[in-house]
Amino acid sequence: MHIGMRHIRYFAAVAEELHFRRAAERLNVSQPALSRAIRHIEQEIGVSLFERSNRHVALTRAGATFLRGCSTALAYMDGAVDQAQKTATGEKGHLVVGYTDIAIAGRLPQILKSFRQRYPEVTLEPRHDYTRAQLNAVEAGALDVGFVTGPVAAEGLASLAVQHDGFIVVLYGSHPLAKQREIALADLAGEPFVLGTTANWTYYHDHLYRLCREAGFEPRVVQQASNSEGIFGLIACEMGISVQATSIENCLRKGLKTRPLRDCAATVPTVAVWNQDTLSPVKQRFIDFLAEQAEDLVG
């Protein structure tokens, strides 16, 4: 059977107008060409679709049934075209997005929420992981965009800062230093530290250890945990104190206290990172979205 989408659109126009001249004008084709197309359909399926007279055009019962099927086919095709166009422009697709504890405690939730509101047909798959693991996954193509502790310098990877955190001291409520409004970093020289595991928190520790060395000491680490929740739990057990990024305060455990560091202007950046060699339309759309808002995000 040789009936294409053009024939179906011609038939639907005549069925809706019930007038060959008006349908031809609507389709921007000649009336004889339209009449030939309708006869072709009727010959192919072997039934009459219209009752015709000099003054009257009406659908037959078979024509009414055929119209319902054609309407479904046209809606499906129009939807398929729309979805294909949105996929090509990055308005539809799937993104795997990595994040660290600091990223998800900070501005990342608002970033993803705003992106989903603008592009509701893009599905996001967030995955928690540490900075080094995310960088490896981005390089391998297993992760579209990672939100990691920066700075990042790796061949083939591009990055954009989305957040800058200062540093806070996290203490249990009865700790003597909790009575102070601000704490000098040097005052922590003799304190037991609770930090993230060395293997996984390397990028954050680079920032923290540099600060401590500038203050004249090395952190005395007595406990390590794999994530922020574990760090806070150990502090709540009064096993030590910690120095964390300010955004982590949004996830603080009940009973713990935070204090700003005195005379500390240093910050730790969270950056979006992606592989320049594997840019899909939807990934480019997400990167453009981040760049568009970069001034507000970093401010």
Side-chain angles (χ1 to χ4, degrees):
M1 185 176 295
H2 302 287
I3 299 176
M5 291 304 299
R6 177 175 61 87
H7 293 96
I8 291 175
R9 292 189 187 279
Y10 283 8
F11 165 77
V14 176
E16 291 167 5
E17 297 289 345
L18 292 177
H19 196 286
F20 275 80
R21 179 180 57 78
R22 288 200 299 268
E25 291 173 351
R26 170 176 156 184
L27 294 166
N28 197 28
V29 298
S30 68
Q31 187 172 332
L34 179 58
S35 297
R36 287 194 299 271
I38 298 303
R39 287 197 298 271
H40 172 79
I41 298 173
E42 291 176 324
Q43 290 169 0
E44 284 292 313
I45 64 179
V47 299
S48 294
L49 300 175
F50 294 99
E51 295 175 352
R52 303 170 178 86
S53 70
N54 289 336
R55 296 184 177 182
H56 180 73
V57 176
L59 282 167
T60 64
R61 288 187 178 181
T65 300
F66 189 61
L67 177 60
R68 288 194 292 271
C70 288
S71 297
T72 300
L74 288 171
Y76 183 84
M77 179 56 67
D78 289 343
V81 170
D82 178 68
Q83 295 301 298
Q85 291 172 337
K86 287 181 177 179
T87 298
T89 59
E91 296 175 76
K92 179 180 176 63
H94 181 82
L95 285 172
V96 183
V97 178
Y99 64 90
T100 61
D101 284 7
I102 298 174
I104 201 67
R107 287 177 166 167
L108 182 59
Q110 184 59 49
I111 292 172
L112 299 186
K113 175 184 174 182
S114 298
F115 183 78
R116 292 179 66 218
Q117 288 174 338
R118 185 180 297 186
Y119 303 107
E121 294 188 63
V122 176
T123 58
L124 300 176
E125 182 183 342
R127 293 181 184 175
H128 175 270
D129 217 330
Y130 307 100
T131 294
R132 171 45 61 192
Q134 284 192 57
L135 295 177
N136 292 338
V138 168
E139 290 176 348
L143 200 63
D144 291 307
V145 180
F147 286 82
V148 302
T149 300
V152 171
E155 186 176 353
L157 298 187
S159 63
L160 176 69
V162 297
Q163 178 176 312
H164 283 97
D165 282 282
F167 293 90
I168 52 172
V169 184
V170 184
L171 317 109
Y172 47 90
S174 61
H175 195 286
L177 290 175
K179 298 177 182 178
Q180 300 183 22
R181 294 182 60 183
E182 295 180 325
I183 298 173
L185 191 58
D187 292 342
L188 304 178
E191 294 291 332
F193 271 71
V194 179
L195 296 178
T197 54
T198 301
N200 294 323
W201 286 62
T202 303
Y203 280 73
Y204 176 75
H205 288 173
D206 286 346
H207 292 275
L208 176 59
Y209 275 69
R210 185 182 307 114
L211 285 177
C212 293
R213 287 165 185 154
E214 290 173 357
F217 72 97
E218 290 278 327
R220 182 168 66 89
V221 181
V222 297
Q223 293 288 339
Q224 293 185 331
S226 60
N227 55 35
S228 300
E229 184 179 0
I231 292 172
F232 293 156
L234 293 173
I235 296 173
C237 294
E238 300 190 1
M239 291 187 173
I241 59 92
S242 191
V243 174
Q244 294 292 320
T246 49
S247 287
I248 292 294
E249 193 168 16
N250 293 326
C251 305
L252 197 64
R253 189 186 185 102
K254 185 177 180 180
L256 298 186
K257 304 293 183 182
T258 63
R259 296 292 181 267
L261 284 174
R262 185 183 307 136
D263 299 326
C264 180
T267 60
V268 52
T270 293
V271 301
V273 61
W274 62 91
N275 192 328
Q276 289 276 57
D277 298 328
T278 58
L279 286 178
S280 65
V282 67
K283 189 191 298 187
Q284 185 64 61
R285 178 73 65 171
F286 186 61
I287 293 165
D288 291 344
F289 176 82
L290 292 176
E292 175 190 317
Q293 302 184 66
E295 184 175 347
D296 291 336
L297 292 173
V298 178

